[in-house]
Amino acid sequence: MIRIAIVNDTLMAVEAIRRVLATVADYQIAWVAYNGLQAVRQCARDCPDLVLMDLLMPVMDGVEATHQIMSQSPCAIVVVTASVNAQASKVFEAMGYGALDAVNLPILGVRGQADNGAKLLAKIAIIGKLLGKSPRRQDQMQPAQKGPVPSKPVLPLIVIGASTGGPRALKAILSNLPKNFSAAVAIVQHIDVQFAPGLVQWLNDRSPVKVELARDGGRFEAGKALLAGTNDHLILRSDLTLTHTKEPQDCFYRPSVDVFFSSVAKYWPGSGVGVLLTGMGKDGAQGLYQLRCAGWHTIVQNQASCVVYGMPKAAVELGAAAKILPIDGISAALVNLFVNYF
């Protein structure tokens, strides 16, 4: 059973969401709030498993409500709004405060049926797995085996994994790197494919380092950050080019940090720096452990600066973290490492 709260100031929108949720027996509506302030107060009294949060509301909008809920009564939040693309900036703000994902609002059809509800149900199913109802996934991966490698990489490389609260954490890191940064950067952020181009633009506007979507056949470049931008997994191949793969199909984190980190640990000819940021779940912990076993320096975000201390905590418990740093200290550490080590 997943207890779900609805936050929306429009009665028709609330009803559309109700009808979509009613199609799944295990989904129970905990309560309904009609503005952000009501939602904050309701969460303090009765914290649900999941909040479906609108963005544009009177009294308090969904961005600030997400911020306050995650600070005071943290729970899973998905933005559900009339047009995700039209509100991209606010969507990324909400994700920066801890919203897990965003989806367009279902609408009531002419016969009273709720249309366009499939994507919302798919998002909720994924959240259900994140809340602990998922089957065993890639936790059985073993450290990647590598042959003899050069003492230094062909190109200095930083790989970053992030989930809940990741956009804000990524902005904090990338905005403080120098424009002439000598390393290449690769990022896997749990985000739906439709939001990836907007996230790239949002980060580009806030970072001296150029940010682009990773593409099949692409290669790492100094001073450029590549972001995984599809619902398939980003991986590094033996020829040091990037590609996307659907395998493993049973991994519900898409794109998966573990899958990407594992491929880098296996094929990158040398060492680098692996970074695991705020996020719900455990994705990235095994992959970061593989990188550390392969001789990489590894950094995880500390609990105090995380929106959700799930992924970094899992990495620490696994022994994958060489350093645990606040988000404001990670970019300085990266610059220092590449100046003094690589």
Side-chain angles (χ1 to χ4, degrees), residues 162-194:
S163 186
T164 319
R168 193 157 162 247
L170 290 169
K171 181 191 75 170
I173 293 173
L174 296 181
S175 64
N176 286 299
L177 296 179
K179 189 173 184 179
N180 60 346
F181 193 51
S182 61
V185 181
I187 301 166
V188 175
Q189 161 74 48
H190 294 162
I191 191 168
D192 192 271
V193 61
Q194 66 177 316

Side-chain angles (χ1 to χ4, degrees), residues 198-237:
L199 179 58
V200 165
Q201 185 59 55
W202 189 78
L203 290 172
N204 259 320
D205 291 343
R206 292 157 176 81
S207 169
V209 175
K210 186 173 180 59
V211 185
E212 294 182 358
L213 288 175
R215 58 180 179 81
D216 286 339
R219 293 180 181 272
F220 298 125
E221 297 179 38
K224 181 181 290 186
L226 299 179
L227 176 82
T230 79
N231 288 338
D232 291 331
H233 307 300
L234 181 70
I235 59 169
L236 182 70
R237 294 185 289 200

Side-chain angles (χ1 to χ4, degrees), residues 25 36 48 52 91 114 119 139 176 185 208-209 229-230 262 269 275 282 285 300 329:
L52 303 181
V91 167
K119 285 191 175 182
D139 294 333
N176 286 299
V185 181
V209 175
T230 79
S262 176
V275 182
K282 298 180 179 180
V300 302

Side-chain angles (χ1 to χ4, degrees), residues 5 72 79 90-91 113 130 140 190 198 207 241 266 271 278 303-304 313 326 336 340:
Q72 301 168 21
V79 171
K90 284 186 175 292
V91 167
Q113 80 281 6
L130 288 171
Q140 300 296 320
H190 294 162
S207 169
T241 62
K266 183 176 182 180
S271 55
T278 174
Q303 183 173 3
K313 179 183 179 183
N336 185 61
N340 295 311

Side-chain angles (χ1 to χ4, degrees), residues 66-209:
T66 297
H67 185 191
Q68 293 197 24
I69 289 170
M70 294 306 295
S71 297
Q72 301 168 21
S73 313
C75 60
I77 298 176
V78 170
V79 171
V80 183
T81 193
S83 177
V84 168
N85 290 333
Q87 300 296 328
S89 180
K90 284 186 175 292
V91 167
F92 294 131
E93 285 186 67
M95 286 183 172
Y97 286 126
L100 292 169
D101 211 332
V103 65
N104 286 335
L105 179 72
I107 59 174
L108 287 178
V110 292
R111 293 185 298 276
Q113 80 281 6
D115 295 330
N116 302 325
K119 285 191 175 182
L120 174 58
L121 292 176
K123 302 290 185 188
I124 296 173
I126 292 173
I127 301 303
K129 295 175 181 178
L130 288 171
L131 293 172
K133 300 184 178 182
S134 63
R136 182 181 61 85
R137 55 176 193 86
Q138 294 307 109
D139 294 333
Q140 300 296 320
M141 292 190 300
Q142 299 298 316
Q145 300 298 313
K146 297 178 67 170
V149 296
S151 61
K152 294 187 179 182
V154 176
L155 176 71
L157 178 61
I158 299 167
V159 293
I160 303 175
S163 186
T164 319
R168 193 157 162 247
L170 290 169
K171 181 191 75 170
I173 293 173
L174 296 181
S175 64
N176 286 299
L177 296 179
K179 189 173 184 179
N180 60 346
F181 193 51
S182 61
V185 181
I187 301 166
V188 175
Q189 161 74 48
H190 294 162
I191 191 168
D192 192 271
V193 61
Q194 66 177 316
F195 309 128
L199 179 58
V200 165
Q201 185 59 55
W202 189 78
L203 290 172
N204 259 320
D205 291 343
R206 292 157 176 81
S207 169
V209 175

